[in-house]
Amino acid sequence: MKSQYRVVVIGGGVVGASVLYHLAKFGWSDVVMLERRRLASGSSWHAAGGIHALNADPNMASLQAYTIDLLSEIEKESGQNIGLHMTGGLTLAGTPERWEWLQANYRIFQSVGIDDCELLTPEEAQKRCPIMSTDGVLGAMWADREGYIDTTGTVQAYATAAKKRGAEYYEETKVESLTQTADGWQVVTDKGTITCEHVVNAAGLWAKQVGRMAGVELPVSPLKHHYLITDAVPEVAAAEFEMPMTVDLEGFTYMRQDQKGVLVGIYEVDHEHWAMDGAPWNYGEELFQEQLDRIENELTLGFERYPSIQNVGIKTWVNGAFTFSPDGNPLVGPVPGKRGYWSACAVMAGFLQGGGVGKTLAEWMIHGEPEADAWPMDVARYGDFAQNKRYIRETTGQFYSRRFVMTYPNEQLPAGRPLKMAPAHDAMTEAGCKWGVSWDLEVPLYFAPKGFEETPTLKRSNAHDIVAEECKVIREGAGLLDISGFSRFEVSGPNAEVWLDKVMASKLPAPGRAKLAPMLGENGRLKGDLTVLNWGDGTWWIMGSYYLRAWHMRWFDDHMIDGVNVRDLGEEYCGFAVVGPKSQAVVEKLAEQDISDLKFMGCGDFDIGLVRARVARMSVTGEKGYEINCRYGDHIKLRRMLLEAGADEGIRECGFNAMLSTRLEKSFGIWSAEFTQLYTPGMTGMDRWIDWDKDFVGKEAAVAERDGNGPAQVQVTLEVDAVDADASGYEPVWSGGERVGFVTSGGYGHYTGKSLAMALVDRDKAAPGTELSVHVVGVERPARIIAPSPYDPQGKAMRG
Ligand SMILES: Cc1cc2nc3c(=O)[nH]c(=O)nc-3n(C[C@H](O)[C@H](O)[C@H](O)COP(=O)(O)OP(=O)(O)OC[C@H]3O[C@@H](n4cnc5c(N)ncnc54)[C@H](O)[C@@H]3O)c2cc1C
């Protein structure tokens, strides 16, 4: 072992070994992996080794598909047998809603390029898995790329392949402490000290402690998990083919063949955390005693699904632990505020996600950006609030218990909530507010009559008409919207303007003005769909999506220069927006200054009744609107005053559902839908805000796109002949049987009375009037491209 490396990877499980392999493969071979015991001696050795493509998050599904494809490559490269059995796999649907969901997902997988799936009847599924009972099964999805591997062999294969490419690894070498130095890290091990530029925390069950060695509190916890392996099952032994990997969602089990018997794994509804502060250092390769009382129900369902296993013995019980983040996705990437400290933890399914995690992290470290959109697993998708132990316990527990439970897009889950509430929260609840959550904050969805409960559904819900009324108020009267759920950053200091001019690709607004500002990465892809406000007193604001607060702050910090101070105002400012043609009449009644002077996209400090507020004349609804930003302490008063002042104008409180419907009628894109870090300005229409005459981050790549052949796909607005459901995102768009794009977001335009979708489609299919079709909840519906902004295309309402 040398005393200096470029990278030290801590942990020799499947994830650490994959990171090591990908670093070496992409050109960094001065890298070492340190393992306190033997390779795979954490969670990895006792995993069930199952690999399957299905994931409710399409980005994670793509990551899993990459990993599965990589496995045979690793085997070849290393010469190490990984026991790969590509049996194909089944996912069973046991309720009509689940069957609908599976059909919808089948189409969504097509959008993300997973084409090796097919839908099966229960009888067809049974033919492929003859030991399964079809009782209660309504349908199934088959995927070719599913099966299982030998876990220890796979870890060994990644490590051996990495070594062949010049990387090193050492077993029986424990990292004991970490110290940040001027240009990297000092890694103290029980075999000596190493200095390096980068450390990677791939410590699995011990990730929490290896985080704390660097002063990092990662939102991760281990939970226990059971599987059993049966003795030989005569039907399995006699079969001419291997049983496929089979996931019974309603039964909470997965099953695969193991020699002549089967392995049945259980996602216990009655979950159990273990060692929330990280596994003890003296924890070795032991397992926990099986806890049959905790899994009785799931076990019964499993035995009913595979009746032939009732007649054979159980050879082995495994009750082991593995780690989860609050949303079940990995925690990957540069840890904010800790230069050179990288996270590769909380990988719940290391054998089917580890390859993708290794690739993503290695690209990030070497090139500064991963190729794919890493947002769903970015460690910066959480803020400090997620360090709280109860938050971690509730959210990871909820994820685990619901691992196979269907979550509807309009369903609100309770874990870790309510956490942060804007001051007027209780008064709004009293007024009928139904709440959603963004990051840590409760955000209003809509206001309903007392006793109303929304039914979870994949289709239009019973809140449809309520939201329609709110949209009408926004378009015809005055709506009051709590806008605490926007992010606000204050930029100040002598170099504030210089810095903003560099990081934003747009022109900067003049004093007293606001401007839409795309922010780009060095690779020319989007990093933000922001609004910059110039208050005219030397301070500027950047406003954007609330849940991106830590993610954007990391970006700002990474691009900081002297003489600039960026402050996240998320704990100081909140506010209300008044939107609609009567908004001016409402605000005028309270403003001490002449509000009519404030033109579209103007901003300034105003006294709104007793509240000193920072007001901007803009609205994402496409109506005339005033965003009134106030200090947290003024929120209750501001709401009361606006409701009183607006009473004569029929002001009514509205929620984000109405805001989303109205923005869709204006073809205004939003982050995580029309805009992601995978898309470019040319694809999304963001190029129209770029100031090509100045220098800005990402200019070279943006110019190359502008002057090249143009993007392959561009953003369009679709009107869909939908019946009882609307598109939501990632549904495929077809032109005569050929897939030509996918939906980025969709919904019902209540005021225009149209089912609308925004989509990225091939450029030669993007002309208004083009007839296409879209799958909505698994059913193909005719659709056509319409001119953008079906409501008020000239923008008279918002400017008026
Ligand atoms: C019962 C069960 C069944 C499962 N089935 C599947 C499945 O079918 N498919 C699937 O994909 N996943 C499955 N998993 C999950 C899978 O096991 C994990 O996702 C995976 O092992 C995580 O790998 P890792 O490398 O992140 O962590 P680990 O395997 O825990 O590796 C971390 C390593 O870091 C080392 N380490 C920690 N601290 C230090 C230090 N300070 N210095 C040096 N070394 C250190 C540890 O010794 C350990 O070897 C299952 C898990 C369980 C418990």
Side-chain angles (χ1 to χ4, degrees):
M1 190 168 85
K2 298 189 297 179
S3 60
Q4 196 167 0
Y5 291 89
R6 190 167 202 173
V7 183
V8 172
V9 179
I10 305 170
V14 66
V15 175
S18 167
V19 171
L20 191 76
Y21 166 75
H22 282 94
L23 283 170
K25 182 173 180 174
F26 300 155
W28 280 14
S29 54
D30 184 22
V31 294
V32 67
M33 179 171 78
L34 304 179
E35 166 52 50
R36 57 188 265 282
R37 293 216 169 173
R38 284 172 305 283
L39 291 185
S41 53
S43 289
S44 295
W45 74 270
H46 59 245
I51 44 174
H52 56 102
L54 189 68
N55 190 300
D57 179 336
N59 285 295
M60 294 309 293
S62 304
L63 185 93
Q64 292 174 190
Y66 167 81
T67 305
I68 294 170
D69 288 345
L70 179 72
L71 288 168
S72 41
E73 223 175 280
I74 294 295
E75 183 168 48
K76 222 179 295 157
E77 219 179 284
S78 63
Q80 162 76 44
N81 187 310
I82 64 164
L84 180 63
H85 292 244
M86 209 58 119
T87 58
L90 285 169
T91 303
L92 310 180
T95 64
E97 296 77 19
R98 177 72 81 176
W99 180 222
E100 204 166 51
W101 178 84
L102 215 49
Q103 293 173 80
N105 271 272
Y106 165 67
R107 295 298 174 183
I108 286 172
F109 286 157
Q110 290 182 324
S111 284
V112 296
I114 301 175
D115 282 320
D116 59 351
C117 299
E118 61 184 297
L119 293 171
L120 303 178
T121 63
E123 296 70 35
E124 288 167 335
Q126 215 260 344
K127 274 198 191 118
R128 300 194 191 190
C129 182
I131 61 163
M132 155 187 124
S133 149
T134 56
D135 274 3
V137 176
L138 299 178
M141 188 167 83
W142 173 268
D144 285 345
R145 278 180 299 178
E146 303 211 345
Y148 63 98
I149 38 89
D150 164 41
T151 52
T152 310
T154 301
V155 179
Q156 193 70 53
Y158 273 120
T160 307
K163 205 168 175 179
K164 282 189 169 174
R165 290 177 178 270
E168 298 174 23
Y169 68 85
Y170 296 92
E171 297 177 296
E172 305 295 342
T173 307
K174 178 180 170 235
V175 172
E176 298 193 316
S177 68
L178 295 169
T179 309
Q180 192 161 18
T181 61
D183 44 12
W185 291 86
Q186 193 176 54
V187 181
V188 177
T189 80
D190 55 2
K191 300 279 161 58
T193 299
I194 298 173
T195 54
C196 61
E197 277 175 54
H198 306 272
V199 286
V200 178
N201 178 350
L205 292 173
W206 295 265
K208 194 87 178 180
Q209 294 99 310
V210 173
R212 285 178 180 164
M213 285 180 191
V216 174
E217 276 295 328
L218 290 164
V220 59
S221 172
L223 280 114
K224 291 182 177 174
H225 180 64
H226 282 89
Y227 66 77
L228 60 88
I229 300 175
T230 69
D231 288 330
V233 178
E235 290 85 341
V236 173
E240 284 172 6
F241 55 88
E242 248 193 301
M243 295 303 117
M245 171 89 195
T246 302
V247 176
D248 179 9
L249 294 168
E250 272 64 51
F252 309 100
T253 61
Y254 56 89
M255 184 281 295
R256 69 162 172 86
Q257 186 162 336
D258 193 272
Q259 297 178 6
K260 301 224 178 303
V262 297
L263 177 155
V264 179
I266 294 146
Y267 270 98
E268 306 92 331
V269 176
D270 181 13
H271 63 257
E272 190 173 304
H273 287 87
W274 174 71
M276 282 198 69
D277 290 311
W281 287 117
N282 63 2
Y283 179 75
E285 294 174 21
E286 51 268 41
L287 292 167
F288 312 112
Q289 182 67 38
E290 62 269 24
Q291 298 163 293
L292 298 184
D293 51 331
R294 221 159 43 78
I295 56 173
E296 205 180 328
N297 180 40
E298 296 87 335
L299 210 53
T300 307
L301 293 173
F303 277 73
E304 285 169 4
R305 178 63 64 219
Y306 309 104
S308 47
I309 66 174
Q310 292 170 13
N311 310 321
V312 298
I314 294 172
K315 187 167 66 180
T316 313
W317 270 108
V318 170
N319 182 12
F322 59 143
T323 50
F324 290 81
S325 73
D327 62 8
N329 280 352
L331 297 171
V332 179
V335 173
K338 296 281 169 193
R339 190 167 291 278
Y341 187 95
W342 301 80
S343 174
C345 324
V347 186
M348 163 198 74
F351 292 91
L352 59 123
Q353 298 175 339
V357 166
K359 172 179 184 281
T360 302
L361 194 72
E363 288 169 346
W364 214 328
M365 293 175 77
I366 295 171
H367 306 302
E369 287 280 352
E371 187 193 2
D373 179 4
W375 166 256
M377 56 177 169
D378 194 327
V379 64
R381 73 186 182 282
Y382 288 105
D384 292 351
F385 68 92
Q387 297 174 1
N388 177 282
K389 198 166 182 174
R390 179 173 291 197
Y391 180 86
I392 296 170
R393 189 187 306 118
E394 286 186 19
T395 51
T396 54
Q398 173 178 274
F399 177 84
Y400 188 95
S401 287
R402 296 182 59 89
R403 173 93 169 94
F404 283 179
V405 176
M406 186 164 147
T407 302
Y408 294 88
N410 67 334
E411 200 171 355
Q412 292 300 318
L413 302 180
R417 293 179 61 192
L419 176 53
K420 186 176 168 191
M421 291 167 276
H425 175 275
D426 288 358
M428 291 167 70
T429 304
E430 189 55 32
C433 186
K434 296 287 178 187
W435 297 94
V437 67
S438 172
W439 225 45
D440 58 348
L441 179 72
E442 296 291 307
V443 292
L445 298 179
Y446 55 86
F447 289 74
K450 278 218 162 16
F452 176 84
E453 288 301 331
E454 186 169 356
T455 315
T457 175
L458 295 170
K459 299 185 173 172
R460 287 178 197 150
S461 86
N462 53 338
H464 190 76
D465 293 345
I466 295 172
V467 177
E469 279 176 43
E470 292 184 8
C471 291
K472 191 163 152 52
V473 168
I474 289 173
R475 293 274 184 249
E476 296 181 359
L480 182 66
L481 183 69
D482 173 17
I483 53 163
S484 306
F486 292 171
S487 71
R488 299 163 174 88
F489 297 93
E490 184 189 73
V491 186
S492 59
N495 287 332
E497 184 167 356
V498 174
W499 180 76
L500 277 166
D501 205 34
K502 179 87 178 159
V503 291
M504 301 296 165
S506 67
K507 266 199 177 62
L508 292 186
R513 302 287 301 160
K515 212 168 184 58
L516 295 180
M519 187 164 73
L520 307 185
E522 278 82 1
N523 57 14
R525 301 192 308 205
L526 300 178
K527 272 286 166 192
D529 57 336
L530 301 162
T531 305
V532 175
L533 300 93
N534 182 350
W535 297 108
D537 61 355
T539 63
W540 305 68
W541 274 19
I542 301 171
M543 291 183 74
S545 303
Y546 184 86
Y547 65 96
L548 302 176
R549 276 173 59 188
W551 188 73
H552 272 144
M553 198 63 195
R554 183 180 66 193
W555 181 259
F556 298 150
D557 281 345
D558 285 350
H559 293 79
M560 201 32 70
I561 58 170
D562 284 343
V564 183
N565 184 23
V566 179
R567 216 153 55 86
D568 181 345
L569 301 179
E571 307 307 316
E572 290 172 46
Y573 273 86
C574 54
F576 281 96
V578 187
V579 289
K582 295 184 180 168
S583 56
Q584 184 175 337
V586 177
V587 180
E588 232 160 30
K589 282 194 191 149
L590 292 169
E592 291 291 321
Q593 297 85 355
D594 187 0
I595 201 85
S596 63
D597 281 352
L598 194 64
K599 299 287 176 248
F600 179 57
M601 296 306 276
C603 65
D605 292 320
F606 284 84
D607 294 320
I608 305 295
L610 281 174
V611 172
R612 190 90 185 116
R614 306 209 101 170
V615 181
R617 228 209 83 188
M618 56 192 181
S619 170
V620 72
T621 61
E623 290 300 332
K624 188 168 199 171
Y626 297 83
E627 292 185 354
I628 306 171
N629 303 286
C630 67
R631 296 194 169 269
Y632 256 79
D634 295 335
H635 194 242
I636 295 176
K637 179 70 178 169
L638 181 62
R639 173 177 175 273
R640 267 192 215 156
M641 290 190 306
L642 289 167
L643 284 174
E644 278 167 24
D648 292 344
E649 313 296 339
I651 197 167
R652 195 189 140 151
E653 289 193 273
C654 303
F656 275 48
N657 287 9
M659 187 183 86
L660 287 174
S661 170
T662 49
R663 73 94 197 169
L664 203 54
E665 291 180 323
K666 288 294 300 166
S667 302
F668 289 158
I670 52 171
W671 196 262
S672 288
E674 285 67 45
F675 309 129
T676 75
Q677 52 185 335
L678 211 50
Y679 307 154
T680 62
M683 292 166 79
T684 54
M686 274 290 197
D687 51 350
R688 92 189 97 133
W689 307 110
I690 290 182
D691 177 6
W692 298 103
D693 294 333
K694 69 171 200 179
D695 188 28
F696 57 87
V697 175
K699 182 172 182 183
E700 206 182 320
V703 168
E705 182 189 47
R706 184 196 63 182
D707 297 346
N709 296 330
Q713 292 193 317
V714 291
Q715 193 79 58
V716 297
T717 303
L718 294 169
E719 182 180 352
V720 186
D721 295 344
V723 179
D724 55 355
D726 304 295
S728 57
Y730 285 111
E731 294 89 346
V733 177
W734 306 92
S735 168
E738 182 200 354
R739 203 169 66 235
V740 295
F742 65 94
V743 170
T744 50
S745 70
Y748 193 72
H750 286 278
Y751 200 71
T752 50
K754 294 179 195 303
S755 179
L756 298 169
M758 293 177 75
L760 277 170
V761 301
D762 295 351
R763 233 172 13 163
D764 62 340
K765 295 283 188 296
T770 307
E771 292 291 335
L772 300 167
S773 67
V774 174
H775 271 92
V776 178
V777 194
V779 181
E780 191 169 359
R781 304 283 184 200
R784 71 211 51 81
I785 298 180
I786 56 175
S789 188
Y791 172 75
D792 185 23
Q794 268 91 47
K796 287 187 185 145
M798 60 188 184
R799 288 190 176 79

